[in-house]
Amino acid sequence: MSVANRPVHRPLSPHLQIYRPQLTSILSILHRATGIALAVGALYLALWVMCAMSPAAYAHFQSFNTSLLGRFVLGGWLFSAFFHLCNGIRHLFWDAGYGFELKDAYRSGWIVVGVSLVATIVSWIVGLRLI
Amino acid sequence: MTDRRTPLARARGLGSAKEGVHHWWMQRLTAIALIPLVVWFAISLVMLSGADYQVVRAWIGSPLVMVMLILTIGIGLHHGQLGMQVVWEDYTEGAFRVVMIVLTKFLAVLFGLGAIVAILRIGFGG
């Protein structure tokens, strides 16, 4: 086997062992994760409306919502909704061709983090009384 | 007869899935529609926290809320199943992928119709 044909065992992309996470990649992953959570959350929302048809079913549904696990789920739903909403708007700007410069991508990323965290905490305090 | 269409016209709308940009465009269109709907719903949800059954039922059954709720749940489920389709396409393959995509779409329609019937029933006093 000639030197040129010898297989070279180079590390495969994306080099997860040595990968340094960045804001942009973290937000991208979080966008998909919250999207999946919200897809399930949309089914939960539909279930909520269906349960509202009968007092017994609604009481059952609410007993879960007011439990510790239920509050955790609802709190997570609110965070997912706010984050996916804010980052989704960021994506729509990209789709329209704006904000692709690295500096702009980081700035819009931090705005998304700030706005979604504030909205989440406010909704938790006012709505769920988690804190 | 010779094909008078230009190469571009023949290629247009024929990506790997042979359906052009329809999926992509529907995802953006539903995303734009969901911006005001999700803001409205999140505020409503927070305002309704701690409300008892009668209050929630009366809220769901008021005409404006009925329209907004049906839009939110309907468009939300549509946007969600479009997104989940991409997730299955990215991470799974073969028969499992097809089954999960079909299941996702069936589930979205089932829960969507269930929710719409429930909202109408509450609103029109069934």
Side-chain angles (χ1 to χ4, degrees):
Chain A
M1 189 185 281
S2 70
V3 176
N5 290 336
R6 194 180 297 156
V8 184
H9 294 289
R10 294 199 180 94
L12 293 171
S13 172
H15 320 305
L16 283 177
Q17 319 88 312
I18 55 156
Y19 190 81
R20 190 169 67 89
Q22 320 119 64
L23 179 72
T24 42
S25 63
I26 299 255
L27 295 190
S28 173
I29 293 164
L30 208 54
H31 193 69
R32 180 156 280 201
T34 53
I36 295 170
L38 287 168
V40 180
L43 298 179
Y44 192 69
L45 169 57
L47 194 68
W48 170 63
V49 176
M50 287 187 259
C51 285
M53 279 193 293
S54 102
Y58 196 74
H60 221 72
F61 191 73
Q62 277 300 83
S63 70
F64 172 73
N65 283 340
T66 49
S67 71
L68 199 66
L69 181 65
R71 278 162 190 269
F72 186 75
V73 169
L74 288 183
W77 191 96
L78 281 169
F79 167 71
S80 299
F82 288 129
F83 176 80
H84 201 84
L85 174 71
C86 294
N87 204 47
I89 292 170
R90 182 166 171 248
H91 268 281
L92 286 172
F93 273 103
W94 282 334
D95 291 336
Y98 299 105
F100 278 117
E101 291 297 323
L102 203 55
K103 183 170 62 72
D104 299 332
Y106 270 88
R107 187 191 292 160
S108 61
W110 283 118
I111 292 172
V112 164
V113 170
V115 173
S116 55
L117 280 184
V118 168
T120 303
I121 290 168
V122 168
S123 71
W124 282 358
I125 293 171
V126 179
L128 299 166
R129 295 177 187 91
L130 280 178
I131 302 168
Chain B
M1 206 179 125
T2 51
D3 189 353
R4 292 182 187 280
R5 296 195 307 162
T6 63
L8 176 64
R10 271 197 303 278
R12 199 168 267 157
L14 293 179
S16 59
K18 305 283 179 272
E19 54 156 34
V21 294
H22 182 72
H23 184 285
W24 186 91
W25 177 238
M26 280 300 122
Q27 209 172 16
R28 313 300 132 155
L29 211 58
T30 50
I32 294 166
L34 281 168
I35 296 172
L37 292 171
V38 168
V39 170
W40 166 80
F41 183 73
I43 292 171
S44 304
L45 195 69
V46 167
M47 305 267 277
L48 276 173
S49 76
D52 63 15
Y53 176 69
Q54 290 306 326
V55 173
V56 171
R57 207 189 146 96
W59 180 78
I60 293 173
S62 62
L64 182 66
V65 173
M66 284 170 74
V67 172
M68 292 293 279
L69 259 186
I70 290 171
L71 284 175
T72 306
I73 294 174
I75 299 174
L77 282 168
H78 188 34
H79 184 81
Q81 66 87 13
L82 287 170
M84 282 307 297
Q85 181 186 343
V86 176
V87 170
W88 296 123
E89 285 168 354
D90 282 353
Y91 305 125
T92 65
E93 51 191 314
F96 181 73
R97 172 196 281 185
V98 177
V99 169
M100 291 320 284
I101 291 175
V102 170
L103 219 60
T104 301
K105 288 177 185 278
F106 281 5
L107 217 60
V109 174
L110 183 71
F111 275 66
L113 277 180
I116 290 169
V117 168
I119 292 166
L120 294 178
R121 202 179 143 102
I122 291 169
F124 296 127

